């Protein structure tokens, strides 16, 4: 028992140590600067310290956050002002933060700290709308909703960004995230998140979960191309004639027609489907105790997990775990106040 605890602590400490090393590399410094002169002078608020401050924020006021951060570092005399913090934040290239998310995930999945569910990583994809600071830069970057009251940029009262997040349910963190225009579909953002995470998920057993708006033949084959399993909430009209023949749990075979191939955007997926000629999908119907607010009496799940490893009840229980991404979006928006801004710059 004691040796297991030591191994786990060593894994976490090792991740933190390697992450700190990453923050101190010239490669990261060059990426993190919005201009070549940023973070070159010796100051109390270094680039490394600023990144750690952002990571360990807890959604409090700036003064509270600064006091707590410097107290934890036992450097109360070196505390900076809110104005200095805001100025430093404007110097960060946001691409550096995306880079850190990916590099942290890479370090984590190569460590001994990884938790699994029955040997699998559970990954959930979902989208959300994030309010952006109202400014010309935000309106140009994310766009705005045109309606009877808003016809041009000068009349816009707010702007939003569409966000897609890939969340590791078993370990409790977002391993990739993509921001887009307010009109962007969540599905392309989801593909970007998956493609960005493939390199550090190699040789891992993965179950990918999404709600009913993501499921498609293209997604299922994309996941199978990368040796992923999936458990996806089904649309009511998704091959309903085939699904109608399933009472509780069974497999359907979707024949790949030229019309289906024509709609496939990913070349590797199209090639795989053309070669196979069909795609087999397991359909699980989970009957509800009472009809829900939409009048549904059961939920449909599409999966490629076998009955030997996951029973009908297991599939319903598995999908219920996807709710974790919803609660973490709430934590991100409400507890961390992601939509409270100290600047009008949309890239901070």
């Amino acid at each position: 028992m004691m040796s297991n605890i030591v191994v786990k602590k060593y894994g976490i400490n090792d991740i933190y140590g390697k992450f700190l090393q990453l923050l101190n590399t010239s490669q990261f410094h060059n990426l993190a600067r919005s201009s070549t002169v940023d973070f070159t002078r010796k100051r109390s608020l270094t680039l490394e310290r600023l990144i750690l401050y952002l990571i360990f924020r807890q959604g409090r006021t700036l003064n509270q956050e600064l006091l707590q951060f410097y107290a934890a570092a036992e450097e109360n005399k070196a505390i900076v002002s809110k104005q200095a913090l805001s100025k430093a934040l404007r110097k960060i290239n946001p691409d550096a933060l995306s880079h850190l998310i990916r590099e942290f995930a890479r370090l984590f999945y190569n460590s001994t700290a990884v938790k699994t569910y029955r040997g699998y990583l559970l990954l959930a994809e979902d989208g959300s709308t994030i309010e952006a600071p109202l400014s010309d830069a935000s309106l140009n970057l994310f766009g705005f909703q045109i309606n009877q009251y808003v016809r041009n940029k000068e009349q816009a009262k707010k702007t939003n960004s569409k966000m897609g997040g890939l969340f590791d349910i078993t370990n409790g963190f977002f391993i990739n995230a993509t921001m887009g225009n307010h009109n962007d579909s969540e599905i392309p953002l989801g593909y970007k998140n998956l493609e960005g995470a493939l390199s550090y998920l190699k040789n891992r057993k993965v179950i990918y979960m999404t709600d009913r708006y993501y499921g498609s033949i293209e997604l299922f084959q994309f996941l199978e191309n990368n040796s992923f399993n999936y458990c996806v909430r089904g649309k009511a009209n998704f091959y309903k004639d085939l699904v109608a023949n399933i009472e509780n749990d069974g497999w359907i075979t979707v024949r790949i027609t030229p019309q289906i191939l024509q709609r496939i955007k990913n070349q590797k997926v199209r090639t795989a489907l053309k070669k196979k000629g069909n795609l087999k999908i397991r359909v699980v119907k989970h009957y509800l105790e009472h009809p829900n607010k939409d009048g549904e009496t059961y939920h449909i799940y599409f999966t490629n997990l076998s009955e030997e490893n996951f029973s009908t009840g297991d599939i319903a229980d598995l999908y219920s775990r996807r709710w974790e991404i919803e609660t973490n979006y709430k934590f991100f928006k409400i507890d961390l106040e992601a939509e409270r801004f100290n600047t009008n710059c949309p890239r901070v």
Side-chain angles (χ1 to χ4, degrees), residues 144-156:
F144 56 94
Q145 188 69 44
I146 295 177
N147 54 40
Q148 59 180 328
Y149 304 108
V150 178
R151 297 295 182 182
N152 52 53
K153 188 169 65 174
E154 287 69 30
Q155 295 174 328

PDB file of all heavy atoms in Angstrom, residues 144-156:
ATOM      1  N   PHE A 144     -20.727  39.066 -34.619  1.00  0.00           N
ATOM      2  CA  PHE A 144     -21.848  39.441 -33.760  1.00  0.00           C
ATOM      3  C   PHE A 144     -23.145  39.018 -34.423  1.00  0.00           C
ATOM      4  O   PHE A 144     -23.206  38.788 -35.631  1.00  0.00           O
ATOM      5  CB  PHE A 144     -21.854  40.956 -33.488  1.00  0.00           C
ATOM      6  CG  PHE A 144     -21.868  41.792 -34.737  1.00  0.00           C
ATOM      7  CD1 PHE A 144     -23.057  42.261 -35.283  1.00  0.00           C
ATOM      8  CD2 PHE A 144     -20.675  42.110 -35.388  1.00  0.00           C
ATOM      9  CE1 PHE A 144     -23.062  43.013 -36.438  1.00  0.00           C
ATOM     10  CE2 PHE A 144     -20.672  42.869 -36.542  1.00  0.00           C
ATOM     11  CZ  PHE A 144     -21.866  43.323 -37.076  1.00  0.00           C
ATOM     12  N   GLN A 145     -24.176  38.914 -33.611  1.00  0.00           N
ATOM     13  CA  GLN A 145     -25.480  38.463 -34.082  1.00  0.00           C
ATOM     14  C   GLN A 145     -26.232  39.612 -34.737  1.00  0.00           C
ATOM     15  O   GLN A 145     -26.460  40.651 -34.120  1.00  0.00           O
ATOM     16  CB  GLN A 145     -26.295  37.895 -32.920  1.00  0.00           C
ATOM     17  CG  GLN A 145     -27.589  37.220 -33.336  1.00  0.00           C
ATOM     18  CD  GLN A 145     -27.340  35.927 -34.088  1.00  0.00           C
ATOM     19  OE1 GLN A 145     -26.495  35.120 -33.698  1.00  0.00           O
ATOM     20  NE2 GLN A 145     -28.069  35.715 -35.163  1.00  0.00           N
ATOM     21  N   ILE A 146     -26.606  39.434 -35.989  1.00  0.00           N
ATOM     22  CA  ILE A 146     -27.393  40.443 -36.702  1.00  0.00           C
ATOM     23  C   ILE A 146     -28.882  40.143 -36.526  1.00  0.00           C
ATOM     24  O   ILE A 146     -29.324  39.007 -36.708  1.00  0.00           O
ATOM     25  CB  ILE A 146     -27.024  40.464 -38.194  1.00  0.00           C
ATOM     26  CG1 ILE A 146     -25.575  40.916 -38.382  1.00  0.00           C
ATOM     27  CG2 ILE A 146     -27.962  41.379 -38.983  1.00  0.00           C
ATOM     28  CD1 ILE A 146     -25.099  40.895 -39.820  1.00  0.00           C
ATOM     29  N   ASN A 147     -29.646  41.145 -36.123  1.00  0.00           N
ATOM     30  CA  ASN A 147     -31.094  41.000 -35.986  1.00  0.00           C
ATOM     31  C   ASN A 147     -31.762  42.325 -36.327  1.00  0.00           C
ATOM     32  O   ASN A 147     -31.122  43.219 -36.898  1.00  0.00           O
ATOM     33  CB  ASN A 147     -31.449  40.538 -34.563  1.00  0.00           C
ATOM     34  CG  ASN A 147     -30.851  41.445 -33.496  1.00  0.00           C
ATOM     35  OD1 ASN A 147     -30.840  42.673 -33.650  1.00  0.00           O
ATOM     36  ND2 ASN A 147     -30.346  40.844 -32.419  1.00  0.00           N
ATOM     37  N   GLN A 148     -33.032  42.471 -35.967  1.00  0.00           N
ATOM     38  CA  GLN A 148     -33.765  43.689 -36.341  1.00  0.00           C
ATOM     39  C   GLN A 148     -33.227  44.928 -35.629  1.00  0.00           C
ATOM     40  O   GLN A 148     -33.453  46.055 -36.080  1.00  0.00           O
ATOM     41  CB  GLN A 148     -35.249  43.521 -36.045  1.00  0.00           C
ATOM     42  CG  GLN A 148     -35.565  43.226 -34.572  1.00  0.00           C
ATOM     43  CD  GLN A 148     -37.049  43.071 -34.321  1.00  0.00           C
ATOM     44  OE1 GLN A 148     -37.865  43.717 -34.987  1.00  0.00           O
ATOM     45  NE2 GLN A 148     -37.417  42.203 -33.377  1.00  0.00           N
ATOM     46  N   TYR A 149     -32.503  44.729 -34.513  1.00  0.00           N
ATOM     47  CA  TYR A 149     -31.973  45.864 -33.768  1.00  0.00           C
ATOM     48  C   TYR A 149     -30.492  46.108 -34.049  1.00  0.00           C
ATOM     49  O   TYR A 149     -29.982  47.201 -33.800  1.00  0.00           O
ATOM     50  CB  TYR A 149     -32.166  45.641 -32.267  1.00  0.00           C
ATOM     51  CG  TYR A 149     -33.601  45.388 -31.874  1.00  0.00           C
ATOM     52  CD1 TYR A 149     -34.022  44.119 -31.479  1.00  0.00           C
ATOM     53  CD2 TYR A 149     -34.555  46.415 -31.917  1.00  0.00           C
ATOM     54  CE1 TYR A 149     -35.336  43.872 -31.128  1.00  0.00           C
ATOM     55  CE2 TYR A 149     -35.879  46.172 -31.563  1.00  0.00           C
ATOM     56  CZ  TYR A 149     -36.260  44.910 -31.177  1.00  0.00           C
ATOM     57  OH  TYR A 149     -37.569  44.662 -30.833  1.00  0.00           O
ATOM     58  N   VAL A 150     -29.807  45.076 -34.515  1.00  0.00           N
ATOM     59  CA  VAL A 150     -28.359  45.188 -34.763  1.00  0.00           C
ATOM     60  C   VAL A 150     -28.086  44.866 -36.227  1.00  0.00           C
ATOM     61  O   VAL A 150     -28.263  43.729 -36.670  1.00  0.00           O
ATOM     62  CB  VAL A 150     -27.564  44.222 -33.855  1.00  0.00           C
ATOM     63  CG1 VAL A 150     -26.072  44.307 -34.161  1.00  0.00           C
ATOM     64  CG2 VAL A 150     -27.826  44.524 -32.386  1.00  0.00           C
ATOM     65  N   ARG A 151     -27.660  45.888 -36.959  1.00  0.00           N
ATOM     66  CA  ARG A 151     -27.382  45.723 -38.386  1.00  0.00           C
ATOM     67  C   ARG A 151     -25.903  45.857 -38.711  1.00  0.00           C
ATOM     68  O   ARG A 151     -25.468  45.423 -39.770  1.00  0.00           O
ATOM     69  CB  ARG A 151     -28.172  46.768 -39.200  1.00  0.00           C
ATOM     70  CG  ARG A 151     -29.675  46.629 -39.100  1.00  0.00           C
ATOM     71  CD  ARG A 151     -30.149  45.330 -39.704  1.00  0.00           C
ATOM     72  NE  ARG A 151     -31.605  45.214 -39.663  1.00  0.00           N
ATOM     73  CZ  ARG A 151     -32.277  44.147 -40.088  1.00  0.00           C
ATOM     74  NH1 ARG A 151     -31.608  43.114 -40.573  1.00  0.00           N
ATOM     75  NH2 ARG A 151     -33.590  44.107 -40.020  1.00  0.00           N
ATOM     76  N   ASN A 152     -25.143  46.485 -37.826  1.00  0.00           N
ATOM     77  CA  ASN A 152     -23.725  46.676 -38.088  1.00  0.00           C
ATOM     78  C   ASN A 152     -22.946  46.633 -36.771  1.00  0.00           C
ATOM     79  O   ASN A 152     -23.529  46.561 -35.687  1.00  0.00           O
ATOM     80  CB  ASN A 152     -23.476  48.007 -38.817  1.00  0.00           C
ATOM     81  CG  ASN A 152     -24.111  49.183 -38.098  1.00  0.00           C
ATOM     82  OD1 ASN A 152     -23.893  49.394 -36.898  1.00  0.00           O
ATOM     83  ND2 ASN A 152     -24.927  49.957 -38.805  1.00  0.00           N
ATOM     84  N   LYS A 153     -21.641  46.715 -36.891  1.00  0.00           N
ATOM     85  CA  LYS A 153     -20.758  46.575 -35.727  1.00  0.00           C
ATOM     86  C   LYS A 153     -20.986  47.667 -34.689  1.00  0.00           C
ATOM     87  O   LYS A 153     -20.903  47.425 -33.487  1.00  0.00           O
ATOM     88  CB  LYS A 153     -19.302  46.591 -36.204  1.00  0.00           C
ATOM     89  CG  LYS A 153     -18.285  46.275 -35.140  1.00  0.00           C
ATOM     90  CD  LYS A 153     -16.898  46.045 -35.732  1.00  0.00           C
ATOM     91  CE  LYS A 153     -16.367  47.309 -36.368  1.00  0.00           C
ATOM     92  NZ  LYS A 153     -14.962  47.135 -36.828  1.00  0.00           N
ATOM     93  N   GLU A 154     -21.284  48.861 -35.157  1.00  0.00           N
ATOM     94  CA  GLU A 154     -21.480  49.986 -34.233  1.00  0.00           C
ATOM     95  C   GLU A 154     -22.704  49.790 -33.349  1.00  0.00           C
ATOM     96  O   GLU A 154     -22.782  50.340 -32.243  1.00  0.00           O
ATOM     97  CB  GLU A 154     -21.611  51.293 -35.020  1.00  0.00           C
ATOM     98  CG  GLU A 154     -20.303  51.810 -35.626  1.00  0.00           C
ATOM     99  CD  GLU A 154     -19.789  50.933 -36.755  1.00  0.00           C
ATOM    100  OE1 GLU A 154     -20.624  50.307 -37.449  1.00  0.00           O
ATOM    101  OE2 GLU A 154     -18.564  50.865 -36.946  1.00  0.00           O
ATOM    102  N   GLN A 155     -23.680  49.004 -33.812  1.00  0.00           N
ATOM    103  CA  GLN A 155     -24.906  48.792 -33.037  1.00  0.00           C
ATOM    104  C   GLN A 155     -24.824  47.575 -32.105  1.00  0.00           C
ATOM    105  O   GLN A 155     -25.700  47.378 -31.276  1.00  0.00           O
ATOM    106  CB  GLN A 155     -26.087  48.603 -34.003  1.00  0.00           C
ATOM    107  CG  GLN A 155     -26.400  49.836 -34.840  1.00  0.00           C
ATOM    108  CD  GLN A 155     -27.478  49.557 -35.879  1.00  0.00           C
ATOM    109  OE1 GLN A 155     -27.584  48.444 -36.398  1.00  0.00           O
ATOM    110  NE2 GLN A 155     -28.279  50.574 -36.194  1.00  0.00           N
ATOM    111  N   ALA A 156     -23.772  46.776 -32.235  1.00  0.00           N
ATOM    112  CA  ALA A 156     -23.645  45.548 -31.435  1.00  0.00           C
ATOM    113  C   ALA A 156     -23.430  45.884 -29.958  1.00  0.00           C
ATOM    114  O   ALA A 156     -22.634  46.758 -29.619  1.00  0.00           O
ATOM    115  CB  ALA A 156     -22.488  44.710 -31.958  1.00  0.00           C
TER     116      ALA A 156
END
